Amino acid sequence: MFKLIIEDDEGHTTVVPLQKEEITIGRKEGNTIRLTERNVSRHHARLIRTNGSVFIEDLDSYNGIKVNGDRIGARTNVRIGDLIEIGDYHLALQEAAQAEVESAPPPALPKAPPLMRAQAQVQAGSPQLTVPDGGTAVMRLPVEEKVASDPGQVRPLNDELSGSLVVETTDLTGQVFKLNRTEITLGRTEENDIVLPHRSVSSRHAKLVFDGGIYRVMDLDSANGVLVNGEEYARVDIRKGDIIELGHVKLRYLPPGGSLPPGASIAVPAHSRRMVDASLRESEVGQSSGKGKLIGMIVGGLVVLAVAAFLVVHFMSDGSGTELAGEEPGKDDGKGAVVVAPDSAVDAVAKLPSLGDDNAKISEAEALFKEGMNFMVAQKWDDAIDKFSTAVTMNPDSVGARSQLEKARSEKKMQEAMGKVRKAVSVKQWDTAMEMLQETEIPKGSIQIKEQKRLLPEVTKSYNSFHLTRASRLANSGKFKDALGHVEAVLKFDEKNFMALDKRAQYKKKLRSRSKPRKPRESQSSRKEKALEWRGKGIQAYKKGNMAQAIKNYDKALKLNKSDVEVYRLLGTAYARKGKSAKAYSYYKKYLDRCPKCKYAPGVRDILKKYAADQ
């Protein structure tokens, strides 16, 4: 009996006993095993169990089936330890005892929205997971986000990257929502980015994530789930024209640049607003602490001088601001006052220290800082570095510019590191890509953390597949030591990988069995010769009256050559001389059963008759 081990791209495993002779695998309901990822076809594969062997065949699926890394084109025999790849899933056969299959609990159901759980209909204590069509097991592998989204990583998208959702049902029909952020939540209540006020929509129903040029919709444990083109998903990438259903609300996805329907009403998501970096405020505070204080003092002084000039002129006029005729500016008017003409006040201000050049530099530094921040949002690190460097040169006191300059340099370095990873991926250098991903330490808050998280599952899956496939091929060729090296490479970064742990145990067992010294097998003729020697030694011991030794020697002869019937008679004789009649009777009877016409058979037969009469 066999069982099937299924592992998804996040390491979750499910065990399914193969109790039926034919098992179908696919995304659509009605298959014996449902794999719910989109890269699995509706009817993808079939497993056939016959005469103690298991075969797999492709049901004309879109992405095909790989066995030990090779795409199959016809029905293929699958052996224990072979690696089967269907979409993002890894499958492997294992032997299962009959008792284990009959008493196996149902496969553990992953966390899923209530609608998904209702469809599974698992009864507590049932021996297996059943479905309406009587299949062996139907399960939905978990597709969850391992780490909660970091709000600090959410950023706006420009129009070239922003897709749209067009509402096609309910009172909101024709409403268009621009997807202008990397993460957007949808739900019934106001705290969501896109509010869909319908009772069939949960308060927080779903989330849209923009990642690597692709939008992905994720169910947030809603009551009615998320359907895409009529099929339910926990997480799925969406494409042009896909219909997303949240309860009774249907929305059509339009990619960036897609033409909107006539008369559509465009709405901006509630949380879509201009990004203001905290360092901008920090910069403004830093700038006001130095030269800003001096500017404030000078401006205050100018105001005081202007007021004083106004008062002097006012008191030297007729009250309306007109100068008294005949008075000479700058002369004593005889009343202890000095006549100051309006222009003289301006001249007095002009004599104050000039800060025009410094003010211009600070203003230009602020403008450069803001340009640099725009380049940061656009992830144009070289341009941002150039702007921040110039801003620091013009205003060394700008704390924000210095901080952002370091951040831009760090982001550029991390971007180059991720670029090297992508290059390694493009040429399928999985060891290089995996090593770089694991060894590159990306600072907290870096935009590249998201790129690292995006690349890690893809690289891990391909890296594991490469090494597990090589391990299977080498093991099939009897090269268990080399195969073990590839298994250890997987466990280096994924120490709980189920398939690698299973293969390691298998290969180590094979290597241990090989290391044990084997005794050379004796030839049949050699065994018969030794048997005759021990029989002769037994006869000699018998003649000497040593019955115990004779019996031991006869036993050794019998072990080496069970076809020597004469030894049975000799053992009967020895036991009879020793007074053990029951034992003697047993061996005499074996002698007659094996050789009823032998030379001593008549005499032995008489002995047995006499023994029976005495009894």
Side-chain angles (χ1 to χ4, degrees):
M1 188 63 67
F2 297 99
K3 57 185 177 181
L4 188 66
I5 312 299
I6 306 174
E7 182 179 73
D8 73 348
D9 60 347
E10 292 184 356
H12 301 101
T13 58
T14 301
V15 181
V16 180
L18 301 185
Q19 295 175 309
K20 297 175 66 178
E21 292 187 353
E22 184 173 305
I23 304 289
T24 58
I25 302 173
R27 197 177 74 243
K28 191 175 181 180
E29 289 184 7
N31 286 288
T32 315
I33 297 174
R34 284 188 67 198
L35 303 179
T36 57
E37 283 297 307
R38 198 166 183 171
N39 54 14
V40 178
S41 296
R42 290 179 174 83
H43 300 284
H44 201 112
R46 177 163 48 224
L47 283 169
I48 301 166
R49 185 164 55 87
T50 177
N51 296 327
S53 298
V54 177
F55 297 86
I56 190 168
E57 63 181 6
D58 189 358
L59 299 180
D60 198 23
S61 65
Y62 183 77
N63 290 317
I65 301 168
K66 289 183 179 180
V67 176
N68 295 331
D70 296 326
R71 183 163 178 167
I72 64 172
R75 182 179 294 187
T76 302
N77 180 224
V78 181
R79 294 170 292 185
I80 292 173
D82 285 347
L83 177 67
I84 306 167
E85 295 177 73
I86 296 178
D88 288 334
Y89 300 87
H90 287 174
L91 298 86
L93 277 182
Q94 275 193 347
E95 286 185 0
Q98 183 66 32
E100 179 184 357
V101 174
E102 292 174 354
S103 62
L109 282 178
K111 180 181 178 183
L115 183 59
M116 298 179 192
R117 292 195 291 269
Q119 287 174 345
Q121 297 178 349
V122 182
Q123 296 180 353
S126 60
Q128 64 185 42
L129 185 61
T130 60
V131 288
D133 67 345
T136 302
V138 173
M139 77 250 170
R140 180 183 297 276
L141 290 180
V143 194
E144 302 172 354
E145 289 183 284
K146 287 188 174 181
V147 182
S149 300
D150 180 1
Q153 296 299 311
V154 178
R155 55 187 175 81
L157 296 174
N158 57 37
D159 289 341
E160 294 179 356
L161 298 176
S162 298
S164 305
L165 288 180
V166 183
V167 185
E168 296 196 344
T169 57
T170 72
D171 295 338
L172 297 174
T173 300
Q175 187 79 61
V176 179
F177 293 98
K178 292 292 289 182
L179 307 178
N180 55 2
R181 298 190 343 142
T182 52
E183 286 191 10
I184 289 179
T185 58
L186 301 91
R188 191 180 67 251
T189 53
E190 292 294 332
E191 70 266 17
N192 292 282
D193 299 314
I194 295 178
V195 180
L196 303 171
H198 194 277
R199 64 178 180 274
S200 65
V201 178
S202 296
S203 56
R204 290 186 78 251
H205 199 114
K207 177 169 68 174
L208 279 166
V209 177
F210 179 81
D211 188 6
I214 298 171
Y215 283 95
R216 181 175 298 120
V217 63
M218 301 177 182
D219 187 14
L220 298 180
D221 202 16
S222 62
N224 290 325
V226 174
L227 277 70
V228 176
N229 299 331
E231 294 192 36
E232 190 173 21
Y233 295 95
R235 180 183 68 178
V236 66
D237 296 343
I238 54 175
R239 304 165 187 162
K240 178 181 179 181
D242 280 354
I243 298 294
I244 303 169
E245 294 182 57
L246 310 182
H248 296 306
V249 180
K250 292 185 179 182
L251 306 100
R252 182 180 295 275
Y253 168 66
L254 297 178
S259 57
L260 300 177
S265 171
I266 300 178
V268 179
H271 292 172
S272 180
R273 54 186 178 270
R274 179 176 175 269
M275 262 181 60
V276 179
D277 196 285
S279 58
L280 180 58
R281 295 190 293 272
E282 185 183 46
S283 172
E284 291 170 352
V285 171
Q287 292 169 12
S288 66
S289 62
K291 291 184 175 65
K293 289 183 179 178
L294 179 59
I295 294 169
M297 292 171 64
I298 293 171
V299 171
L302 291 174
V303 172
V304 172
L305 285 172
V307 171
F310 171 78
L311 291 174
V312 170
V313 173
H314 179 77
F315 284 110
M316 295 300 292
S317 68
D318 61 359
S320 63
T322 305
E323 285 187 58
L324 296 176
E327 298 294 346
E328 185 178 351
K331 297 293 183 180
D332 193 332
D333 63 353
K335 301 177 183 178
V338 178
V339 179
V340 181
D343 290 342
S344 300
V346 177
D347 292 338
V349 174
K351 292 176 183 178
L352 291 172
S354 173
L355 294 177
D357 292 343
D358 287 339
N359 289 342
K361 285 183 178 180
I362 292 172
S363 298
E364 189 172 349
E366 289 179 353
L368 288 166
F369 179 84
K370 291 178 180 178
E371 288 182 44
M373 291 306 300
N374 289 333
F375 284 127
M376 289 286 281
V377 172
Q379 300 183 29
K380 296 182 178 179
W381 312 121
D382 287 329
D383 293 329
I385 290 169
D386 179 58
K387 297 298 180 184
F388 291 137
S389 298
T390 309
V392 169
T393 302
M394 297 188 119
N395 182 14
D397 293 334
S398 176
V399 178
R402 286 183 180 278
S403 172
Q404 290 301 310
L405 176 59
E406 291 305 314
K407 186 175 180 180
R409 286 171 175 166
S410 174
E411 291 291 350
K412 180 184 177 183
K413 182 180 177 182
M414 294 301 104
Q415 186 183 55
E416 289 173 349
M418 291 301 102
K420 291 178 181 178
V421 174
R422 287 192 294 271
K423 185 176 180 181
V425 169
S426 67
V427 293
K428 298 184 178 181
Q429 293 179 352
W430 305 119
D431 284 18
T432 302
M434 194 66 173
E435 292 281 353
M436 292 179 67
L437 273 178
Q438 296 290 340
E439 293 176 1
T440 302
E441 294 185 9
I442 298 181
K444 185 178 180 180
S446 170
I447 291 173
Q448 297 305 319
I449 285 180
K450 196 164 187 179
E451 178 68 0
Q452 187 185 47
K453 288 180 180 178
R454 185 188 72 82
L455 286 168
L456 190 57
E458 175 191 352
V459 173
T460 301
K461 176 180 179 294
S462 299
Y463 173 87
N464 289 352
S465 295
F466 170 75
H467 284 289
L468 291 174
T469 298
R470 291 294 299 274
S472 296
R473 290 176 176 175
L474 289 166
N476 290 339
S477 301
K479 299 177 181 178
F480 296 106
K481 189 174 181 179
D482 294 336
L484 195 58
H486 286 280
V487 170
E488 295 295 349
V490 173
L491 294 172
K492 178 181 177 182
F493 299 114
D494 188 3
E495 59 185 16
K496 294 183 179 179
N497 186 284
F498 179 84
M499 292 190 179
L501 290 170
D502 184 58
K503 287 181 183 293
R504 180 168 69 178
Q506 291 180 37
Y507 301 159
K508 283 187 173 182
K509 185 177 179 181
K510 292 286 187 181
L511 288 172
R512 282 195 300 269
S513 65
R514 282 185 174 182
S515 63
K516 292 180 181 178
R518 293 184 179 181
K519 295 180 180 178
R521 291 190 64 181
E522 294 180 315
S523 65
Q524 190 67 22
S525 59
S526 174
R527 290 172 66 87
K528 287 182 177 180
E529 288 175 4
K530 287 184 177 181
L532 288 172
E533 288 180 12
W534 283 111
R535 191 176 79 170
K537 290 178 181 179
I539 293 171
Q540 291 174 6
Y542 179 86
K543 289 179 179 179
K544 292 177 181 180
N546 190 348
M547 297 302 112
Q549 187 62 47
I551 290 170
K552 285 182 180 179
N553 293 341
Y554 291 149
D555 282 336
K556 289 180 180 180
L558 197 60
K559 285 180 181 178
L560 288 167
N561 185 12
K562 292 185 182 297
S563 62
D564 188 354
V565 294
E566 188 63 23
V567 178
Y568 291 102
R569 184 185 68 79
L570 292 172
L571 275 166
T573 304
Y575 276 115
R577 285 283 301 273
K578 202 174 181 181
K580 294 187 176 183
S581 302
K583 278 279 189 179
Y585 178 86
S586 172
Y587 279 105
Y588 279 144
K589 191 170 186 314
K590 289 178 181 178
Y591 171 74
L592 288 177
D593 290 342
R594 285 165 173 75
C595 190
K597 295 182 179 180
C598 283
K599 177 180 178 181
Y600 298 103
V604 171
R605 197 172 286 113
D606 291 339
I607 293 172
L608 291 181
K609 286 179 181 179
K610 185 178 179 182
Y611 177 81
D614 292 341
Q615 294 298 314

